[in-house]
Amino acid sequence: MLYPMGISVHLHAGGALAAGLEAARRRVFLDPEPLKVTHEQMLHAAYLPFLRHWGDYVAPEGSSKSFVHTFAALEHYLLQYPPATDSLQPYIRPDGSPAVEYKFAIPLDIAHPTTGDPILFAGRFDMVGELNTPTGKIICVVDEKTTGSLGFDWASKWDLRGQFLGYIWALRQHGINVRHACINGLAILKTKDECRRALVMYPDYLIERWANQMHRDIQDMVHAWKEYQDYPHLVDYTYPYNFADSCESYGGCAFVTLCQAKDPEPFLSNYVHYRFNPLEVQPIKEVEKP
Amino acid sequence: MSNTSTAGMSPQFLDLNVRLKQLQSEQLLMDQQGPPYNPQLSDQENALAAQTFHEKMRQLMKEQLSIYATLRKTAAGPAKAGGKRAKKAPLDLSALEDSVFS
């Protein structure tokens, strides 16, 4: 896949925070006496994985997502929701291991256009959890979302989020009957820390609707790829332009330069080839040039 | 490379950020290299060298977390530290860090 040069501070900070939080959770949940793990021990466990992910990256000028602020957001989360006593606990797999950083790769009944192998629906997310509520335990997908602000309507953003519908669908293929997602919002700010938790329920019909759409989308991708091989000169019909607000949403599409150019080829040098593997901690890696 | 001016920034905070960056680089380098191993040494000697390595890693981390705590407390201002709300705007350390690390 083509990827713009440079590193997104949002993705980088979020990845580092996820790495640190995973390590802190494992420190607690794999300890014979989780309640005796101190806050300092959690920070020590989290720091090196966080630093490994962060590396020597320098956040853009003016960004609140610096190393210190991002790690502070992680610390604040651990203080507000201490893993050992949090109402949200990890789901314990049949082998006794906590379901922290859950991976999946589910073969679909759609063949890859070149290999003929089943296309895999694959991914990984932060945790499968059990949320203790007054009415009982709720199994849920758990995901952390870093943000610059937690507005009043932050929780409603996830009602139709395909990411969580996909995770839930994947868990159901593994025999885990789940219909909830617990989203932990962490605001990375310069002078204060803020966390918020949202629990979203997805009805069965919506999960099925998402699954049907996912299958259609992948079939369309396979069809488009085959069509492009047969009729490369008709690429604009195969991969149509949006010519709408998606070009400007979320800070602007990174490929606007290519769409605006009469001949995009000379501008491809502004991009790098990456291979995307959602099962790896660092899912995006640059493809080495021959 | 950031062109943020450091005018008005306390030398103490500049030093802390510089020191933090140095320690981070040292920790990452040691982490990549891993504990030393010399096949010409005995198992006991190699175990001792590995123990020294891991202790050094722990000390590096401890110092970094101490610096981090100081920087964080300063960024939050007296309100977060438990005191009265500061009348002045809190120190914006993100610009400081970017200028130091450029």
Side-chain angles (χ1 to χ4, degrees):
Chain A
M1 55 181 255
L2 277 182
Y3 206 78
M5 288 184 178
I7 300 174
S8 162
V9 65
H10 310 296
L11 292 178
H12 195 74
L17 195 145
L21 187 53
E22 179 192 350
R25 281 179 169 145
R26 287 187 186 279
R27 176 65 182 87
V28 173
F29 298 138
L30 294 177
D31 194 285
E33 295 182 283
L35 289 171
K36 292 189 176 179
V37 177
T38 64
H39 179 71
E40 187 184 10
Q41 287 173 325
M42 281 195 291
L43 286 189
H44 275 254
Y47 189 80
L48 190 53
F50 184 99
L51 177 60
R52 281 184 189 133
H53 190 100
W54 194 275
D56 58 2
Y57 177 72
V58 177
E61 185 177 337
S63 172
S64 62
K65 294 180 180 177
S66 66
F67 181 94
V68 169
H69 294 136
T70 305
F71 194 76
L74 169 62
E75 182 182 15
H76 179 74
Y77 178 83
L78 291 174
L79 284 169
Q80 180 142 339
Y81 300 108
T85 56
D86 189 8
S87 55
L88 183 65
Q89 291 294 306
Y91 171 82
I92 303 300
R93 295 188 180 96
D95 65 0
S97 63
V100 175
E101 283 294 329
Y102 194 91
K103 293 182 188 180
F104 57 89
I106 299 162
L108 304 175
D109 55 356
I110 304 170
H112 191 280
T114 55
T115 66
D117 296 331
I119 288 179
L120 301 177
F121 176 68
R124 65 196 299 271
F125 57 90
D126 295 321
M127 191 170 83
V128 184
E130 283 187 338
L131 185 66
N132 291 304
T133 71
T135 55
K137 287 186 180 180
I138 296 175
I139 298 178
C140 53
V141 164
V142 179
D143 197 67
E144 275 72 45
K145 290 292 186 191
T146 53
T147 177
S149 68
L150 291 168
F152 71 96
D153 60 344
W154 172 82
S156 63
K157 288 174 62 171
W158 318 114
D159 292 345
L160 279 174
R161 185 58 63 103
Q163 176 186 11
F164 301 124
L165 287 160
Y167 293 158
I168 288 172
W169 181 83
L171 283 174
R172 289 188 170 195
Q173 308 315 301
H174 288 170
I176 301 175
N177 188 18
V178 59
R179 56 170 50 87
H180 289 86
C182 181
I183 302 110
N184 296 311
L186 289 80
I188 302 177
L189 303 168
K190 293 179 182 177
T191 57
K192 65 172 182 176
D193 305 302
E194 194 177 342
C195 295
R196 193 176 301 173
R197 177 171 283 173
L199 184 69
V200 185
M201 193 278 286
Y202 298 98
D204 292 346
Y205 73 84
L206 193 60
I207 298 167
E208 186 179 350
R209 188 174 289 171
W210 174 90
N212 291 336
Q213 183 67 57
M214 180 264 289
H215 279 85
R216 277 198 295 273
D217 288 343
I218 295 176
Q219 283 167 340
D220 286 347
M221 285 184 220
V222 171
H223 177 73
W225 191 90
K226 288 179 179 175
E227 196 172 82
Y228 178 70
Q229 304 307 307
D230 294 336
Y231 308 106
H233 59 288
L234 296 177
V235 61
D236 286 357
Y237 292 95
T238 307
Y239 298 106
Y241 297 89
N242 179 259
F243 289 133
D245 56 356
S246 64
C247 304
E248 293 301 317
S249 298
Y250 301 103
C253 173
F255 302 100
V256 162
T257 304
L258 300 180
C259 289
Q260 285 182 320
K262 184 177 180 183
D263 178 16
E265 285 289 329
F267 297 95
L268 292 179
S269 59
N270 295 332
Y271 299 85
V272 292
H273 273 102
Y274 276 83
R275 186 173 302 281
F276 178 67
N277 184 347
L279 298 178
E280 294 191 1
V281 176
Q282 299 267 20
I284 301 171
K285 287 183 182 172
E286 187 172 351
V287 175
E288 290 184 6
K289 295 177 183 176
Chain B
M1 296 284 284
S2 171
N3 292 319
T4 305
S5 171
T6 58
M9 299 298 182
S10 162
Q12 177 191 11
F13 295 115
L14 282 171
D15 290 344
L16 279 176
N17 277 282
V18 169
R19 179 63 181 152
L20 179 61
K21 188 63 179 172
Q22 287 173 340
L23 293 170
Q24 287 175 345
S25 297
E26 191 177 347
Q27 181 108 56
L28 284 172
L29 183 60
M30 285 186 67
D31 186 50
Q32 286 167 7
Q33 292 173 340
Y37 178 77
N38 187 342
Q40 296 178 335
L41 298 177
S42 67
D43 288 346
Q44 192 176 8
E45 286 168 322
N46 275 313
L48 184 60
Q51 191 178 347
T52 304
F53 170 89
H54 289 303
E55 182 54 33
K56 173 69 176 172
M57 288 280 279
R58 273 191 292 273
Q59 289 302 321
L60 279 172
M61 193 186 310
K62 198 173 174 183
E63 189 175 353
Q64 287 170 73
L65 284 170
S66 175
I67 293 173
Y68 151 76
T70 303
L71 289 173
R72 186 59 192 149
K73 194 182 290 186
T74 307
K80 188 162 178 75
K84 292 182 180 178
R85 186 172 296 278
K87 291 182 180 178
K88 293 183 180 177
L91 184 65
D92 182 351
L93 283 179
S94 61
L96 169 66
E97 290 170 3
D98 288 341
S99 67
V100 169
F101 297 147
S102 297

